[in-house]
């Protein structure tokens, strides 16, 4: 509801803009934002034939509305205090979760705020911390002692919340923002001590990066693997990319191919199903190519190049710089609250007008009608999604096929949505395979688990060669997962290919796994029993 409410409020703001001004000043930032959005729209329409997650349209409509809303508002203090106060709220929640006073929203992490994950929470708090430090400095400069004390107190809370997130990307991004907030002092020091300043900067950067890498090397290596495989995706289609949503559709296939070529890679133990590229610029290069990446970079350059005098306006740039650094190591655009940060900051940053767009009266009804249409389709989409959610929930807990009219009717629309794809198609894979299922379940996004399910579906319908292919790809996607090789071994036993079964059995017994659990111990026990049992049929069940 927050998502659609935001669209409605932003739409009202734009209507107000059209109602009160007949001339709109256009800045360089506006032009770069429009160019990026236009390219993305044309790409989706012409190259992809509009085959993408329908939420992309709602999401970017909301983002565009928010951008123009803050272009009209131009109240940097309101924006900064809104970010800081929301960050304070998230910090209080994080502290409550750390003290076990509040429940976490993630089963693996104790501290998530209301965002649901400590990584994105750390990114938001990093931006909020830098903004609050800027407000603290402004209060000192204006000799407003009470405001300075209040901002200093809030900054302490934000820092505590930031530390609790344990986000290395957030820790790394904060210094960049602070340098911009104190850029005048930094420049003075640099002029006086050029050599010392350069050496100090290099040593500090290398030391901090090394400490953050050594703090959790396995996690850092996992990102390096994702970037290595992502670089291969970019190299295959560098200019225009693979299309919006391509990372979800294709990345795990590339990772499987990588480990098929490099079975002894040092990345074997850190490999897992990857939902994000952990670098937003890589993400854009994969999906929209160099053209899309260049347009995105021009957006940020235009924002950072704005003439902004004073600490308050400079703090907007600082917040944007923090977001940019954080996005090099995380996935902030996947979290709507974080996606709004750069949009809000870019919209609030002052810019020099290069053109004046005159809105004639005849255009206003059309614009208002368009916005009303957005609101209508948002409400309609909410209703449809609620019914689809109920159908998937019933399908998930049922062992038989139940009627799913909304899922079937809107399948071609929502099949590119990650949540719908994984929930609905995974539920279908659990059921006894029918001929009419296959055209649907073959569209499931690849992962080690989903390809195991596809292999089981093929095996159930007698397509044993195809089942073997799915199991092998699943095994290569995450080499430490024992399940795909276990399914392969059972398939070979079932088909009477005992030479291949023994080879696979040896592989399973020597296979490295991240964590030994009851499943892996049971599988290895079954494999050892296989060697001494003359009755192979028991193991094919």
């Amino acid at each position: 509801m927050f998502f659609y409410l935001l669209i409605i409020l932003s739409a009202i703001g734009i209507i107000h803009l059209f109602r009160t001004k007949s001339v709109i000043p256009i800045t360089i930032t506006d032009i770069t934002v429009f160019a990026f959005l236009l390219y993305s729209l044309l790409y989706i329409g012409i190259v992809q034939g509009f085959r993408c997650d329908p939420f992309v349209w709602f999401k970017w409509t909301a983002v565009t509305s928010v951008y123009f809303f803050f272009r009209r508002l131009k109240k940097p203090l309101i924006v900064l205090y809104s970010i800081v106060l929301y960050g304070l709220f998230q910090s209080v929640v994080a502290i409550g979760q750390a003290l076990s006073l509040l429940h976490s929203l993630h089963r693996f992490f104790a501290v998530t705020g209301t965002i649901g994950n400590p990584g994105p929470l750390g990114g938001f708090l990093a931006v909020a911390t830098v903004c609050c430090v800027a407000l603290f400095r402004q209060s000192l400069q204006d000799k407003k002692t009470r405001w300075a004390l209040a901002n200093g107190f809030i900054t302490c809370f934000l820092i505590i919340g930031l530390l609790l997130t344990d986000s290395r990307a957030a820790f790394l991004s904060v210094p960049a923002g602070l340098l911009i907030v104190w850029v005048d002092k930094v420049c003075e020091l640099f002029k006086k001590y050029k050599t010392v300043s350069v050496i100090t900067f290099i040593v500090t950067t290398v030391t901090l990066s090394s400490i953050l890498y050594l703090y959790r090397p396995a996690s850092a290596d996992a990102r390096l693997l994702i970037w290595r495989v992502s670089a291969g995706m970019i190299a295959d289609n560098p200019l225009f990319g693979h299309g919006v949503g391509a990372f979800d559709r294709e990345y795990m296939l590339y990772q499987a191919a990588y480990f098929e070529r490099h079975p002894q890679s040092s990345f074997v133990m850190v490999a897992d199903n990857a939902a994000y590229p952990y670098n937003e610029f890589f993400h854009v290069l994969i999906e929209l190519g160099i053209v899309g990446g260049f347009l995105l970079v021009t957006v940020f350059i235009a924002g950072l190049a704005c003439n902004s005098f004073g600490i308050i306006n400079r703090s907007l740039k600082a917040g944007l710089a923090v977001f940019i650094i954080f996005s090099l190591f995380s996935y902030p655009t996947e979290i709507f609250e974080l996606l709004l940060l750069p949009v809000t900051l870019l919209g609030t940053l002052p810019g020099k007008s290069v053109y004046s767009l005159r809105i004639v009266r005849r255009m206003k009804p059309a614009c208002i009608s368009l916005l009303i249409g957005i609101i209508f389709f948002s409400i309609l989409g909410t209703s449809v999604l609620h019914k689809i959610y109920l159908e998937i929930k019933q399908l998930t807990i049922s062992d038989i096929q139940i009627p799913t009219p909304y899922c079937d009717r809107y399948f071609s629309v929502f099949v590119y949505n990650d949540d719908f794809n994984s929930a609905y198609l995974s539920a279908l894979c659990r059921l006894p395979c029918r001929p009419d299922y296959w055209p649907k379940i073959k569209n499931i996004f690849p992962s080690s688990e989903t390809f195991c399910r596809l292999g089981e579906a093929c095996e159930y319908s007698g397509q044993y060669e195809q089942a073997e292919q799915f199991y092998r790809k699943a095994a290569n996607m995450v080499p430490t997962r024992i399940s795909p090789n276990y399914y392969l071994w059972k398939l070979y036993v079932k088909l009477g290919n005992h030479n291949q079964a023994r080879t696979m059995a040896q592989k399973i017994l020597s296979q490295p796994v991240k964590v030994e659990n009851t499943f892996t111990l049971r599988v290895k026990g079954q494999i050892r029993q296989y060697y001494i049992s003359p009755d192979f049929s028991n193991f094919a069940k």
Side-chain angles (χ1 to χ4, degrees), residues 147-307:
W147 281 102
L149 288 173
N151 290 325
F153 180 76
I154 294 173
T155 301
C156 292
F157 261 90
L158 292 173
I159 292 174
I160 293 172
L162 179 61
L163 293 174
L164 288 174
T165 65
D166 200 25
S167 171
R168 292 161 301 159
F171 298 159
L172 192 62
S173 62
V174 169
L178 294 178
L179 284 175
I180 296 178
V181 171
W182 299 88
V183 67
D184 51 338
K185 303 296 182 183
V186 172
C187 289
E188 289 178 9
L189 287 173
F190 181 76
K191 289 177 182 178
K192 290 182 180 179
Y193 313 102
K194 286 186 179 180
T195 305
V196 175
S197 299
V198 172
I199 294 174
T200 302
F201 176 78
I202 293 173
V203 170
T204 303
T205 302
V206 172
T207 303
L208 181 60
S209 301
S210 301
I211 291 172
L212 292 176
Y213 173 82
L214 295 173
Y215 177 53
R216 289 211 306 268
S219 176
D221 287 340
R223 280 169 168 76
L224 292 175
L225 167 64
I226 294 171
W227 295 342
R228 171 66 183 84
V229 177
S230 296
M233 293 184 70
I234 295 169
D236 277 357
N237 202 343
L239 194 58
F240 297 108
H242 296 259
V244 175
F247 187 86
D248 291 331
R249 297 192 303 268
E250 300 178 24
Y251 172 81
M252 290 305 297
L253 299 177
Y254 274 84
Q255 184 164 297
Y258 175 82
F259 284 117
E260 188 174 2
R261 295 191 305 269
H262 306 92
Q264 304 301 321
S265 170
S266 59
F267 291 124
V268 165
M269 291 304 296
V270 298
D272 209 332
N273 294 312
Y276 316 105
Y278 290 94
N279 185 306
E280 293 295 356
F281 292 95
F282 265 32
H283 201 169
V284 173
L285 289 172
I286 289 170
E287 299 193 345
L288 296 176
I290 294 175
V291 177
F294 172 77
L295 292 174
L296 179 63
V297 170
T298 60
V299 170
F300 289 122
I301 290 176
L304 294 173
C306 289
N307 293 324

Side-chain angles (χ1 to χ4, degrees), residues 457-465:
C458 291
E459 187 178 344
Y460 182 87
S461 59
Q463 303 175 56
Y464 298 121
E465 290 185 8

Side-chain angles (χ1 to χ4, degrees), residues 417-449:
N417 176 265
D418 183 47
D419 293 332
F420 176 85
N421 188 289
S422 60
Y424 180 57
L425 297 184
S426 295
L428 286 185
C429 287
R430 287 176 49 252
L431 302 173
C433 190
R434 293 190 342 204
D436 57 321
Y437 287 177
W438 187 248
K440 292 181 179 179
I441 62 176
K442 70 178 183 180
N443 291 293
I444 196 167
F445 289 165
S447 71
S448 184
E449 286 74 22

Side-chain angles (χ1 to χ4, degrees), residues 288-343:
L288 296 176
I290 294 175
V291 177
F294 172 77
L295 292 174
L296 179 63
V297 170
T298 60
V299 170
F300 289 122
I301 290 176
L304 294 173
C306 289
N307 293 324
S308 53
F309 301 100
I311 297 174
I312 296 301
N313 285 330
R314 198 159 63 229
S315 65
L316 298 171
K317 285 187 179 182
L320 186 61
V322 170
F323 180 87
I324 292 171
I325 299 298
F326 179 76
S327 67
L328 294 176
F329 306 96
S330 193
Y331 48 94
T333 62
E334 299 294 330
I335 310 298
F336 193 65
E337 292 97 320
L338 265 70
L339 178 59
L340 291 183
L341 275 177
V343 176

Side-chain angles (χ1 to χ4, degrees), residues 425-434 437-438 441-442 444 447-475 482-491 494 519 522 539-541:
L425 297 184
S426 295
L428 286 185
C429 287
R430 287 176 49 252
L431 302 173
C433 190
R434 293 190 342 204
Y437 287 177
W438 187 248
I441 62 176
K442 70 178 183 180
I444 196 167
S447 71
S448 184
E449 286 74 22
T450 58
F451 266 46
C452 283
R453 294 193 187 102
L454 286 174
E456 288 181 293
C458 291
E459 187 178 344
Y460 182 87
S461 59
Q463 303 175 56
Y464 298 121
E465 290 185 8
Q466 201 162 2
E468 181 182 8
Q469 293 175 7
F470 280 122
Y471 291 146
R472 286 191 177 280
K473 283 187 178 180
I482 205 168
S483 301
N485 289 328
Y486 175 59
Y487 289 132
L488 266 174
W489 171 72
K490 289 179 67 177
L491 177 64
K494 178 179 180 179
F519 174 74
R522 179 172 62 82
F539 303 100
K541 297 178 182 178

